[in-house]
Amino acid sequence: MTDVVVIGGGIAGVSAAAYLAQDWDVVLLEAESALAYHSTGRSAALYYPGYGHPSIHPLSYASGAFFENPEYSDHPLLSPRGVLTLVFPGQTAMPLGESAQLIDPAAVRGIVSVVSDTVEAGIWEPDPMDLDVAGLHQAYVRMFRAAGGTILTVARVTAIERGDRWRLSVDGDKIEADVVVNAAGAWADEVAALAGLARVGLIPKRRTAFMVAAPDGSDRWPLVHDSASSFYFKPDGSQLMCSLADETPSEPCDARPQEIDVALAIDRINTATSLGIRSVRSQWAGLRTFASDGGMVIGEDPSAEGFFWLAGQGGTGIQTAPAAGQLLAELVRTGAAPRTLQAAGLDLAAFAPARFR
Ligand SMILES: Cc1cc2nc3c(=O)[nH]c(=O)nc-3n(C[C@H](O)[C@H](O)[C@H](O)COP(=O)(O)OP(=O)(O)OC[C@H]3O[C@@H](n4cnc5c(N)ncnc54)[C@H](O)[C@@H]3O)c2cc1C
């Protein structure tokens, strides 16, 4: 008999499902034919613990332990990258990470030779790492399956009712469970509405990305962005991944890149560097879904026992997944955060769905 149903097969759903399956019979439902089809499969893949809303920093730092010793992965998930923030005239520098150093224009171009000589300064952070998103997602799928979990794809939840137990309609079939975990990404408010619950007011925001040919010797460059967050680029194999760093509000959908956003990003990167980008090899867009206060939504719905939210991951859902998955599982188990996260200063109230009611 199913104890817990997890809705959503992105990184949030699979990480939570893997930890929940250590104690319970868990079924994971994914609407698409492949897991990680939406935001998770479209990420930039950076582990940058000082980035994002301050309330989630304890999750980012605590997740490092899993990334460094990934169970159920046969290869390391982290590799060196670094972040270089360019400061151009009229911009001010806001260092993010603990390892941040202010450097002069010559040092900036010593790290990334193509940066324009109009740059006034740089912030160099060696610590941020590349994170293997597919490897992380697969590690949690393996962990989940090893614990006996069941994954159903092409399994869109279309109705949720509450009787003695939760009863979900999935393409004509019914599944019952004591606990529902709403890890539906951009659709998490829609899933709550299916259960007759109030929305928390999530805002999906589109971000555009594309690949271009990488110049020789660029494979060791860090992620490069400007301090106004108007673009970024970073090596990705033999290519450079580029982005407008846009945050355009969107409906939950299969996000598509807009030509104008790709063109704008190329113009900004070409102004800031001598890369001279003329053509794009591939392009895509993904949704980064935020709560109105920028924090995440993790916890039991105040008006529905056994309905748990795991949503609002914004731009940090990959780098927080191990700790967020463990937090969700412990909240289902005991109603409290794991002691390690409490000791790290996690403020559970900053995650509570009740803060929006
Ligand atoms: C360009 C870009 C760069 C990014 N860079 C980073 C980064 O460097 N580091 C980082 O940590 N994060 C990054 N992110 C953010 C990260 O990708 C997200 O925070 C994360 O993927 C969210 O995961 P999720 O599982 O919540 O959502 P998703 O991956 O979208 O998964 C939700 C799933 O729920 C399913 N679903 C929805 N409704 C239903 C239903 N009714 N029934 C069944 N299934 C349903 C969907 O089909 C979907 O597969 C980036 C995002 C983008 C777009």
Side-chain angles (χ1 to χ4, degrees):
M1 194 163 74
T2 303
D3 300 312
V4 183
V5 165
V6 176
I7 303 172
I11 193 64
V14 297
S15 57
Y19 292 111
L20 289 162
Q22 306 306 310
D23 293 314
W24 291 294
D25 192 274
V26 181
V27 174
L28 182 139
L29 302 174
E30 168 52 52
E32 304 289 351
S33 57
L35 303 179
Y37 173 77
H38 287 289
S39 302
T40 298
R42 307 176 190 205
S43 160
L46 196 70
Y47 178 47
Y48 192 2
Y51 178 71
H53 194 268
S55 65
I56 64 101
H57 290 179
L59 295 182
S60 299
Y61 284 104
S63 294
F66 186 92
F67 299 142
E68 281 157 19
N69 282 302
E71 287 178 273
Y72 298 95
S73 174
D74 49 16
H75 59 275
L77 295 176
L78 293 177
S79 50
R81 180 55 58 205
V83 169
L84 179 61
T85 307
L86 307 177
V87 185
F88 288 104
Q91 297 181 345
T92 47
M94 293 278 283
L96 289 173
E98 290 170 1
S99 64
Q101 306 157 30
L102 187 64
I103 58 175
D104 64 19
V108 168
R109 282 196 297 279
I111 297 170
V112 179
S113 55
V114 297
V115 173
S116 157
D117 58 12
T118 58
V119 75
E120 285 190 333
I123 306 290
W124 169 232
E125 295 172 81
D127 289 350
M129 306 279 268
D130 269 349
L131 181 50
D132 176 354
V133 180
L136 177 68
H137 188 274
Q138 193 55 37
Y140 278 121
V141 168
R142 285 196 193 119
M143 182 171 159
F144 181 54
R145 289 207 162 111
T150 303
I151 296 176
L152 301 178
T153 52
V154 200
R156 181 179 301 280
V157 176
T158 53
I160 306 176
E161 295 161 37
R162 180 72 177 159
D164 292 346
R165 308 179 80 212
W166 290 103
R167 184 185 293 192
L168 292 82
S169 300
V170 182
D171 289 334
D173 290 333
K174 298 275 185 210
I175 297 182
E176 289 193 1
D178 296 318
V179 169
V180 171
V181 176
N182 178 7
W187 292 267
D189 264 341
E190 271 67 17
V191 164
L194 290 178
L197 302 175
R199 297 161 184 258
V200 296
L202 295 168
I203 309 159
K205 295 184 178 177
R206 189 179 66 240
R207 177 153 288 192
T208 308
F210 53 95
M211 292 287 193
V212 302
D216 289 344
S218 61
D219 54 327
R220 295 216 179 143
W221 286 355
L223 181 147
V224 179
H225 67 149
D226 69 339
S227 63
S229 280
S230 70
F231 68 84
Y232 69 80
F233 60 88
K234 82 176 187 99
D236 189 313
S238 61
Q239 307 185 91
L240 279 185
M241 178 199 164
C242 306
S243 175
L244 183 61
D246 42 337
E247 297 195 329
T248 310
S250 165
E251 293 300 310
C253 65
D254 188 354
R256 302 285 174 196
Q258 308 289 308
E259 288 299 325
I260 183 77
D261 292 335
V262 174
L264 191 54
I266 291 174
D267 184 55
R268 287 179 182 171
I269 294 171
N270 284 346
T271 301
T273 69
S274 58
L275 277 167
I277 297 169
R278 293 218 173 97
S279 62
V280 165
R281 289 184 169 176
S282 60
Q283 54 189 306
W284 70 94
L287 299 177
R288 298 154 82 245
T289 298
F290 295 85
S292 57
D293 61 3
M296 289 188 186
V297 187
I298 306 180
E300 191 169 22
D301 191 282
S303 59
E305 191 182 341
F307 187 99
F308 286 79
W309 292 76
L310 180 55
Q313 284 82 352
T316 54
I318 311 295
Q319 68 172 28
T320 53
Q326 289 172 55
L327 171 60
L328 187 284
E330 193 63 16
L331 289 173
V332 173
R333 195 179 290 119
T334 67
R339 284 197 187 153
T340 46
L341 286 177
Q342 290 180 29
L346 186 97
D347 175 12
L348 205 48
F351 293 81
R355 73 192 193 274
F356 299 107
R357 301 286 162 75

